[in-house]
Amino acid sequence: MASVASKLSSVKIPDVEEDTKRVFAVLQQGGLAIIPVSVGYAIVATDSVALERAFTTKQRGAHKRHAMIGSYALHRSIHVLPPREQSMVDFLIRDLKIPLGLIPPFKPDHPIIQKLGPETLARSSVEGTLAMLCNGGRFMDELSRLATEAGVPLMGSSANMTGKGTKAYAEEIEPEILEAADIIINYGKQKYNTPRTSSSMIDFRGPSLVRFGACYDTIRDVMKRFYGVEFPEDPGKDTLFSGHATEAQNKIEALATRTGAIIHWRPVLLGAIYRATNAPQGAAGSASDVFNPTKKSITSRAFQLTIKRHGLPHNEPPRHPHKTTAALRLLYFIAENDRPALTHALYKAYWVEGRNVGERETLLRAVREAKISKLGSVIHAVHSGEFEGEKQRRKLESSTEDAVKRGSPGVPGFWIGDEIWTDRDGARKKGRLYWGQDRMPFVEAVVLALKDGKSGDELSQVPRPLRSLFPRAIHQSSIPANEEVKLEFWYDFSSPWAFLGWTQLASLQRRFGERLQIEMKPFLLGILFREIGAPNLPMAAISEHKRNYMRLDHGDWVRWWNAINLQEGKPDKSVDFYWADNFPIRTPSVLRVALARPELAGLLYRACWERNLDMSKDEVLESVLSEAGHDAKGIMKEANSQKIKADLRARTKEAKETGICGVPTYRVFRRKVGEKEWKQTGDLVWGQDELNVVEDLIAGWDGTGVASVGDVGSAQASAPGIMRAGDGNSDGEKEKASAPGIMRAKF
């Protein structure tokens, strides 16, 4: 075989017919080929072993998928779309000749799909969809024709190392990729190379945008003009290098696009919320100011993981916090339809560029970057100070007061004015506030319910799988072949949040199968709190305002898990939660019983948090055991043995040494089938509201790739409810709330 250098340096007049025949001959022998595509160079194969070789060479994460290299005719043969969505494809592909990555549902019984085999199909599909590139230029079309006529699938991806971007020139391709190829066709610079070298990608189940790419402005215009579907504006390569829409900062706009919701942007003064609600950190502080060192460490690491999972550009500012009052008033000075763009520019200035948004120079730069209307008059107002008038002050104060009245302990808050819901006393109410970017799945579910004429109490009837609304990096609940996983569940019966986490263990076991081992790890949470300097009763150490919200949030989770259980056919018992009359529950005896008899954890949990029994008393504990048909006296004797007591102390010590700051905490280990030694994968995961992270780790997530919402619903109709997003702050607190424990309800 000729050297890579000689292949790339060889110059000859392209001969598509001859060159595609040479490539296809190599592919039929199980080879890998680098080929020219109008949107950059691709590495392709028809053999599953060769595809895996490409995957390994590219250092591609397990969550990444192969795409089919196809044509319009092959798309019609393999994919299934309703008439409206098919007309979109027809116009973009046939009439406008746009290179496009299509993601529609496919026919699993199609002969070419059958040729993929189960493992390659799993590597190429997500929730019944298969990506296919169409209109990639004459070379790709001819090679696809040869493969289709031979009845074999032509699969591939961009010819570059993962995360390094598609290449317009073959000479730009990394040496590792070039070395892996058995044949390289170098046709020079490819056609679509600005502003991005890649195809746009659309999931046509919604439809929704998956990736910004070639001809995106035209695609965006077509979708809005003819189909009423609003796609976001491309933020530009400097802001979003890869082009993946799921990596963009505008998560709320993406939600609105999927659901048709209307966003009203209402900046608020975070410090004033803290002052009004008597937050322990004070008006000028951050929630993390009052965290103990262990909690501060784990929440900081979790925040960085969340930033990475969502692909967000972020740099910790050199000084924090900055005074943001001027920036917030400026947002009320400009036209309301300019507010989203300026909000993004100000967030970028603060959290990416490390600029002081209280300075006029930063405000002027953000105004220009946002390209707002009446730019000249706004610049004049910033110079003169006119933007901080009485009108702007009143609007900012009014929005802040509304946030407090509606129950928000911080930002961002999402107010859904038309939601009808039932509080824990059984009263029907209208209007709900959800706090934190990590509660956006609740927001999306409620908006979808309202669109369908349902209430917030009827989430199980939402026409989308609720489980898919939480972002996942790997959209499948399966363990990689030849591996097994151990999940540690650290808990104490005293926590109502750990109870919620426990209720979902059966679902994890059922969905991931027998190669998932769940190890229960009971320990004394109160002793851990004392050792790490945490308050013995965290609920009592926070403001009443936040405490009320946390109880409401707990109810939201009960509603959420029960709705998912209903959607999935009620495979598990419903969560029938009851706030314990005797709280906190003293649990040493209960924990020792769980250590002696791990199989009784469910019985004990339900007694604590469903039956409202005072499990602090040994006689009540014995009664629960006896009623369930167990030898209560014998179990209690074993539980009170020195061996079990020492074991519980040892586990509590281990919890501290592991770095645990609360419950539930999850730790994931994996090993190859047949091996003895377990290796931890990922960091500790704190909180049952981070189960999507736990599931990704179980499924083999290696820390690369971006998490996204799974199944995508219609973005066409408008929701009857109005969603208001409160943005702009002096702390960035709930920007950090992706991290378990920062302004979050966990113990």
Side-chain angles (χ1 to χ4, degrees):
M1 178 179 174
S3 69
V4 168
S6 66
K7 287 182 183 179
L8 290 178
S9 62
S10 62
V11 177
K12 74 179 190 68
I13 297 174
D15 185 337
V16 171
E17 284 77 11
E18 180 61 30
D19 291 341
T20 52
K21 288 177 183 177
R22 289 195 298 121
V23 167
F24 191 60
V26 171
L27 297 181
Q28 286 184 305
Q29 297 299 314
L32 271 176
I34 291 177
I35 66 168
V37 180
S38 63
V39 289
Y41 281 83
I43 186 165
V44 300
T46 58
D47 176 76
S48 60
V49 175
L51 280 172
E52 285 304 305
R53 181 154 55 96
F55 233 69
T56 302
T57 304
K58 291 183 61 168
Q59 299 179 9
R60 209 159 160 82
H63 61 287
K64 295 285 189 177
R65 295 293 181 262
H66 307 296
M68 185 168 284
I69 310 301
S71 63
Y72 177 78
L74 187 61
H75 149 69
R76 291 306 304 263
S77 175
I78 284 179
H79 287 143
V80 180
L81 281 175
R84 177 174 174 271
E85 284 71 21
Q86 186 61 59
S87 72
M88 297 174 186
V89 174
D90 291 350
F91 189 67
L92 293 169
I93 298 293
R94 298 180 70 189
D95 299 333
L96 297 182
K97 308 295 184 186
I98 288 175
L100 186 63
L102 317 174
I103 308 177
F106 64 92
K107 302 172 185 175
D109 58 350
H110 191 282
I112 288 181
I113 296 294
Q114 292 289 306
K115 287 283 185 69
L116 284 172
E119 287 194 14
T120 304
L121 180 59
R123 286 276 207 172
S124 309
S125 59
V126 176
E127 297 178 348
T129 66
L130 179 77
M132 179 186 292
L133 176 62
C134 293
N135 283 349
R138 187 177 168 216
F139 189 99
M140 193 197 89
D141 291 346
E142 179 62 17
L143 187 61
S144 174
R145 183 188 67 78
L146 292 174
T148 302
E149 288 181 355
V152 296
L154 179 62
M155 309 296 291
S157 58
S158 56
N160 55 269
M161 299 296 288
T162 293
K164 299 301 182 181
T166 308
K167 311 303 183 186
Y169 289 96
E171 288 82 359
E172 297 174 336
I173 300 171
E174 293 85 358
E176 301 95 319
I177 306 296
L178 296 172
E179 290 287 352
D182 298 296
I183 184 171
I184 302 169
I185 303 298
N186 184 2
Y187 277 10
K189 188 174 185 178
Q190 291 306 292
K191 181 177 180 180
Y192 296 104
N193 53 76
T194 57
R196 302 179 188 277
T197 307
S198 61
S199 65
S200 295
M201 294 188 72
I202 298 175
D203 186 331
F204 280 95
R205 290 174 297 173
S208 68
L209 178 70
V210 174
R211 185 175 70 194
F212 299 101
C215 306
Y216 178 68
D217 287 345
T218 301
I219 294 168
R220 185 170 181 247
D221 179 72
V222 166
M223 298 302 286
K224 182 176 181 180
R225 182 184 300 271
F226 300 114
Y227 299 100
V229 176
E230 184 82 43
F231 279 174
E233 184 176 352
D234 187 342
K237 191 172 181 178
D238 290 340
T239 300
L240 188 61
F241 174 74
S242 74
H244 282 274
T246 51
E247 298 176 30
Q249 294 183 74
N250 55 352
K251 288 177 63 179
I252 184 62
E253 289 98 333
L255 187 154
T257 297
R258 291 193 298 269
T259 62
I262 301 169
I263 308 172
H264 293 267
W265 298 75
R266 297 189 64 183
V268 296
L269 284 161
L270 183 60
I273 292 177
Y274 288 165
R275 184 184 301 110
T277 60
N278 297 313
Q281 66 269 22
S286 167
S288 59
D289 292 346
V290 295
F291 289 174
N292 62 74
T294 304
K295 183 175 179 180
K296 188 172 290 188
S297 173
I298 196 169
T299 54
S300 176
R301 299 197 312 270
F303 171 58
Q304 294 301 325
L305 177 65
T306 300
I307 289 292
K308 183 177 181 180
R309 274 175 64 81
H310 290 281
L312 301 176
H314 174 268
N315 295 296
E316 196 66 23
R319 179 174 168 268
H320 175 70
H322 290 299
K323 189 173 177 61
T324 59
T325 307
L328 297 172
R329 289 172 179 167
L330 177 59
L331 287 165
Y332 280 111
F333 179 82
I334 62 173
E336 186 171 356
N337 60 353
D338 286 328
R339 203 172 289 163
L342 184 55
T343 297
H344 285 302
L346 289 168
Y347 267 129
K348 179 184 175 185
Y350 198 136
W351 294 103
V352 179
E353 298 170 347
R355 298 179 180 275
N356 184 347
V357 295
E359 295 178 349
R360 297 291 170 89
E361 181 182 344
T362 302
L363 297 180
L364 289 168
R365 178 175 176 149
V367 164
R368 293 187 179 99
E369 184 178 308
K371 300 177 182 178
I372 63 175
S373 57
K374 299 181 180 179
L375 182 60
S377 61
V378 173
I379 289 175
H380 173 76
V382 173
H383 280 298
S384 67
E386 179 188 349
F387 73 99
E388 292 193 87
E390 182 63 27
K391 181 180 179 181
Q392 288 71 44
R393 287 197 292 270
R394 285 200 307 269
K395 284 185 176 180
L396 181 56
E397 290 169 2
S398 175
S399 291
T400 304
E401 290 169 2
D402 283 346
V404 173
K405 289 176 184 176
R406 290 166 177 172
S408 182
V411 293
F414 306 92
W415 173 255
I416 305 179
D418 283 353
E419 180 181 357
I420 305 295
W421 58 286
T422 305
D423 69 12
R424 58 192 178 93
D425 296 321
R428 298 286 281 173
K429 295 189 175 182
K430 184 176 182 180
R432 261 301 306 273
L433 183 134
Y434 294 89
W435 171 44
Q437 64 86 24
D438 49 357
R439 297 307 189 257
M440 286 174 65
F442 293 171
V443 174
E444 185 160 0
V446 170
V447 171
L448 289 171
L450 292 173
K451 280 180 60 177
D452 211 34
K454 303 294 191 298
S455 74
D457 295 330
E458 300 172 294
L459 296 187
S460 64
Q461 299 181 46
V462 167
R464 277 182 56 186
L466 292 174
R467 200 181 293 279
S468 73
L469 298 183
F470 268 85
R472 287 281 304 276
I474 300 179
H475 292 277
Q476 291 180 331
S477 295
S478 60
I479 295 172
N482 301 317
E483 290 187 9
E484 52 189 4
V485 174
K486 179 176 71 172
L487 173 66
E488 291 182 348
F489 180 76
W490 292 81
Y491 71 101
D492 186 331
F493 292 102
S494 63
S495 167
W497 299 94
F499 166 71
L500 286 181
W502 169 79
T503 66
Q504 299 309 302
L505 293 181
S507 173
L508 284 175
Q509 186 72 74
R510 183 177 60 256
R511 288 182 291 119
F512 282 95
E514 61 183 13
R515 285 187 288 124
L516 171 64
Q517 304 175 27
I518 298 177
E519 182 179 347
M520 304 293 285
K521 303 281 283 188
F523 71 98
L524 288 160
L525 184 61
I527 300 299
L528 175 72
F529 281 165
R530 185 184 67 196
E531 292 289 316
I532 66 175
N536 186 54
L537 185 58
M539 284 279 274
I542 59 177
S543 68
E544 182 180 1
H545 189 84
K546 184 177 178 182
R547 188 159 54 246
N548 290 337
Y549 183 85
M550 289 168 65
R551 289 175 73 100
L552 188 61
D553 185 52
H554 191 282
D556 287 337
W557 280 105
V558 172
R559 174 181 67 168
W560 181 260
W561 293 128
N562 281 337
I564 287 178
N565 192 39
L566 281 172
Q567 272 196 341
E568 297 178 353
K570 295 190 71 173
D572 301 311
K573 181 186 177 300
S574 297
V575 180
D576 299 315
F577 180 81
Y578 190 98
W579 281 99
D581 290 335
N582 295 295
F583 185 77
I585 304 171
R586 291 189 68 258
T587 57
S589 294
V590 191
L591 288 166
R592 289 197 292 266
V593 168
L595 266 179
R597 301 293 175 87
E599 71 276 10
L600 298 181
L603 174 69
L604 301 173
Y605 252 132
R606 296 196 188 282
C608 290
W609 294 108
E610 290 190 348
R611 298 177 63 190
N612 190 29
L613 300 177
D614 187 359
M615 297 292 281
S616 302
K617 299 177 179 178
D618 281 0
E619 59 268 28
V620 175
L621 175 55
E622 287 188 30
S623 175
V624 168
L625 294 172
S626 296
E627 287 175 7
H630 299 288
D631 176 11
K633 296 294 184 184
I635 292 174
M636 291 298 291
K637 181 178 180 181
E638 182 182 356
N640 287 318
S641 68
Q642 290 303 312
K643 177 179 179 297
I644 293 295
K645 289 180 178 180
D647 192 4
L648 185 58
R649 288 194 297 270
R651 287 172 182 261
T652 305
K653 182 174 182 287
E654 183 187 359
K656 179 186 176 183
E657 292 172 347
T658 300
I660 289 172
C661 69
V663 294
T665 291
Y666 306 83
R667 191 160 58 153
V668 179
F669 298 81
R670 62 189 337 102
R671 67 185 179 189
K672 295 291 184 183
V673 173
E675 291 183 352
K676 292 184 178 180
E677 185 178 348
W678 291 102
K679 295 181 180 178
Q680 184 173 338
T681 180
D683 203 345
L684 297 173
V685 180
W686 176 36
Q688 64 89 35
D689 54 354
E690 293 285 314
L691 267 175
N692 54 327
V693 179
V694 174
E695 292 185 17
D696 274 342
L697 291 172
I698 294 172
W701 183 54
D702 59 3
T704 64
V706 175
S708 63
V709 172
D711 183 38
V712 180
S714 173
Q716 184 183 14
S718 294
I722 292 180
M723 178 169 56
R724 295 184 171 89
D727 283 275
N729 61 71
S730 59
D731 185 81
E733 196 143 354
K734 282 303 281 190
E735 290 298 296
K736 296 189 176 185
S738 307
I742 295 186
M743 296 285 286
R744 200 100 68 106
K746 298 190 190 126
F747 303 93

